[in-house]
Amino acid sequence: MTASGAVTVSSSLAERAAAGRRARGRVPRSAHGTFEAAPDRPDVIGVLERQSADRVPELVPIRYGRMLESPFRFYRGAAAVMAADLGPLPDTGLRVQLCGDAHLLNFRLLASPERHLVFDINDFDETFPGPFEWDVKRLAASLVIAGRAGGFTEAEQNDAVRSCVRAYRERMRRFAGMRTLDIWYARDDADRLRDLLASSMDEADRRRTAAATAHARTRTHMRAFAELTRRTPEGRRIAADPPLITPLRELRGGSPRAEDRELQALLESYARTLPAERRHLLRHYRVADLARKVVGVGSVGTRCWLLLLLGRDDDDPLLLQAKEAQESVLAAHTDGERYDNQGHRVVTGQRLMQSAGDIFLGWTRVVGLDGRSRDFYVRQLWDWKGVFRPERWDPGLLRLFGQVCGASLARAHARSGDPVAISAYLGGGTRFDRALTRFAQAYADRNERDYEALGEAARSGRIATAGR
């Protein structure tokens, strides 16, 4: 074993399982059922303000405005707050590549390179190595918070959490008995998942699930192209929708020729991070336009660029999203490899965890409008992505979705961690499941108080808010 408690590859199955059982001595499974904020817990608004300090100033009020829409929207934007809460807690030492922000809406339907629809984690901005239970706790708490938003009873919320954690535990146990390559090749095909869950759904749930799958297949790059661009005398350009989408030409005055040179330099820098055959594919496109885009909740204010590339003609598009990558919120609370480019960190974490990689996933470093150098990761925009809407769910659907998310998270963790050790720690009983249910309720209470603190900060004028 290493000093951090991770099991080396050369360890036998028995040694790996023993390491997982020894972790119970450091942190009994029942110990995960409590949460009390540390006495020196940092001021929540201060945590958010420090995050916002390096973001686009005029967009920060939009971030706060979105977080104030509901406790669930607050939770989505408060990964840094939860990281600071989890950091001081005793941990198992059983490390995996963490998503870092594994709330339920960061699990989606995605397109694989083979054009199959799969269910997987979608957001890796905060990915970083750490104890496996941190992701499970963030996912569990999100189910309670979503359940409260839907007006579900505490028993219904707890049922969703137990289903989620049980699915994680049971699938990790299956991975512990699988060959290494079989774990790596495992994926959650959307149609197969729908068939597996069909016996647990009523007719209305089956219709909604089928509709979500069908809708995801319509979210192609051509639909994004139609919705986000327009024809101009200069050719196809990104349509302005300020402040959510602002073309570069409207952000600054300047020579179009100089801007063309900068865009080409950005593309060439990014292309060097792609495999040779994908660099060749990218050479068939030219950059036509660039716009700043506002995305998400927690990400609002970070720099995100929409790149329009055109191939054979103006109706042969490739839409890429270049999103700023700052240091992970987990980095201050756990050890892990440091990267000289945070975009590289995001891409590495995504490739480790996700079974369906984007063929255009890469990273770059760009000098911004303010003259400062920043890191970005690049991926396709809208490639068969299905977004779920929990506000339309009933308790049964929340439970089913939690179950699927838990199983998917186990697959992602098994790729980078040791499923034998983690499964041995979790065991075959429900002790961990019950503990996480208690934790999720306690943390949902904490989240509501933090949400109220943000509202008070807005009312007092400490922070400014804006719509959209």
Side-chain angles (χ1 to χ4, degrees):
M1 286 179 58
T2 66
S4 66
V7 180
T8 62
V9 174
S10 59
S11 300
S12 69
L13 284 174
E15 289 170 333
R16 293 161 64 188
R21 288 190 291 270
R22 281 197 300 274
R24 298 180 188 175
R26 292 192 296 273
V27 186
R29 289 163 295 177
S30 59
H32 294 291
T34 61
F35 173 75
E36 292 183 9
D40 58 349
R41 186 180 195 247
D43 169 54
V44 170
I45 310 307
V47 171
L48 298 176
E49 287 176 325
R50 285 190 291 276
Q51 264 198 313
S52 298
D54 194 38
R55 301 192 177 197
V56 180
E58 63 265 30
L59 300 181
V60 171
I62 297 177
R63 181 195 186 201
Y64 292 144
R66 289 184 177 183
M67 291 178 71
L68 281 171
E69 289 177 13
S70 70
F72 186 69
R73 297 274 277 186
F74 174 88
Y75 187 72
R76 289 178 59 188
V81 174
M82 191 168 192
D85 285 329
L86 293 174
L89 301 179
D91 68 72
T92 62
L94 302 175
R95 294 164 62 84
V96 299
Q97 185 71 29
L98 294 169
C99 165
D101 191 16
H103 65 74
L104 63 91
L105 287 190
N106 275 341
F107 292 78
R108 297 189 179 181
L109 293 169
L110 305 167
S112 74
E114 300 81 16
R115 317 317 293 155
H116 297 148
L117 194 61
V118 299
F119 185 81
D120 215 326
I121 302 171
N122 176 65
D123 192 307
F124 297 90
D125 287 8
E126 310 300 347
T127 186
F128 205 75
F132 80 91
E133 66 268 20
W134 287 8
D135 269 354
V136 186
K137 287 181 173 180
R138 184 145 179 85
L139 177 56
S142 75
L143 289 164
V144 170
I145 295 166
R148 291 183 181 185
F152 305 161
T153 67
E154 184 172 324
E156 290 167 339
Q157 299 161 24
N158 291 344
D159 188 33
V161 175
R162 283 193 298 269
S163 293
C164 170
V165 180
R166 181 176 64 250
Y168 179 94
R169 175 174 51 79
E170 291 178 347
R171 196 173 193 195
M172 190 63 74
R173 189 178 187 88
R174 291 196 294 275
F175 282 130
M178 290 171 60
R179 296 182 178 90
T180 302
L181 279 179
D182 291 337
I183 295 172
W184 190 259
Y185 289 135
R187 63 174 51 178
D188 297 326
D189 179 86
D191 293 329
R192 187 177 66 86
L193 282 174
R194 187 184 61 196
D195 292 341
L196 288 172
L197 292 173
S199 61
S200 303
M201 297 179 181
D202 61 21
E203 184 58 34
D205 286 343
R206 282 192 286 272
R207 284 197 302 270
R208 280 185 287 185
T209 303
T213 302
H215 179 66
R217 288 192 169 100
T218 70
R219 291 174 63 83
T220 65
H221 71 291
M222 290 305 299
R223 178 176 166 189
F225 178 61
E227 293 187 9
L228 298 174
T229 71
R230 58 184 174 84
R231 295 188 185 277
T232 73
E234 295 79 28
R236 275 281 185 178
R237 294 294 183 266
I238 298 170
D241 182 21
L244 302 186
I245 299 178
T246 309
L248 178 62
R249 60 186 177 273
E250 297 184 13
L251 285 171
R252 68 175 183 190
S255 162
R257 185 171 298 175
E259 290 179 3
D260 287 346
R261 287 196 299 268
E262 291 177 14
L263 289 177
Q264 193 59 39
L266 181 156
L267 195 65
E268 290 174 359
S269 169
Y270 149 68
R272 286 193 289 272
T273 70
L274 298 176
E277 75 280 2
R278 293 172 192 176
R279 287 199 301 272
H280 178 79
L281 174 60
L282 193 64
R283 291 191 191 105
H284 289 272
Y285 294 90
R286 60 181 175 83
V287 181
D289 204 4
L290 178 72
R292 188 177 70 190
K293 190 174 188 295
V294 176
V295 294
V297 178
S299 297
V300 175
T302 57
R303 291 144 186 91
C304 181
W305 297 97
L306 177 62
L307 289 84
L308 171 63
L309 289 80
L310 297 172
R312 182 191 62 188
D313 54 31
D314 279 6
D315 292 314
D316 180 19
L318 172 64
L319 283 165
L320 299 176
Q321 177 178 279
K323 192 175 180 185
E324 184 180 1
Q326 300 178 331
E327 187 175 58
S328 168
V329 297
L330 302 180
H333 308 289
T334 185
D335 295 331
E337 182 179 356
R338 263 49 179 185
Y339 288 84
D340 61 0
N341 185 302
Q342 294 300 318
H344 188 189
R345 170 187 61 78
V346 172
V347 169
T348 299
Q350 181 164 344
R351 288 174 176 168
L352 276 171
M353 297 188 74
Q354 197 178 63
S355 65
D358 183 343
I359 66 170
F360 286 106
L361 185 64
W363 68 91
T364 188
R365 178 167 287 157
V366 178
V367 176
L369 301 179
D370 57 1
R372 291 183 56 186
S373 178
R374 291 184 173 85
D375 298 339
F376 289 79
Y377 68 94
V378 183
R379 64 182 180 182
Q380 288 187 80
L381 181 77
W382 278 24
D383 195 23
W384 282 18
K385 288 185 180 178
V387 181
F388 296 93
R389 302 187 182 280
E391 65 272 13
R392 300 178 182 176
W393 295 351
D394 57 31
L397 202 52
L398 181 68
R399 176 180 54 78
L400 288 169
F401 193 75
Q403 178 182 337
V404 174
C405 290
S408 183
L409 183 61
R411 177 195 43 72
H413 283 177
R415 289 165 65 92
S416 63
D418 185 352
V420 174
I422 295 173
S423 180
Y425 176 83
L426 295 173
T430 61
R431 186 169 297 178
F432 185 73
D433 313 13
R434 290 180 278 118
L436 265 288
T437 302
R438 296 193 300 274
F439 171 86
Q441 288 290 345
Y443 202 82
D445 291 341
R446 177 74 263 174
N447 181 74
E448 288 181 0
R449 292 194 291 272
D450 292 343
Y451 168 73
E452 292 166 1
L454 185 66
E456 179 55 36
R459 289 188 292 272
S460 70
R462 178 175 174 179
I463 62 168
T465 66
R468 301 206 65 185

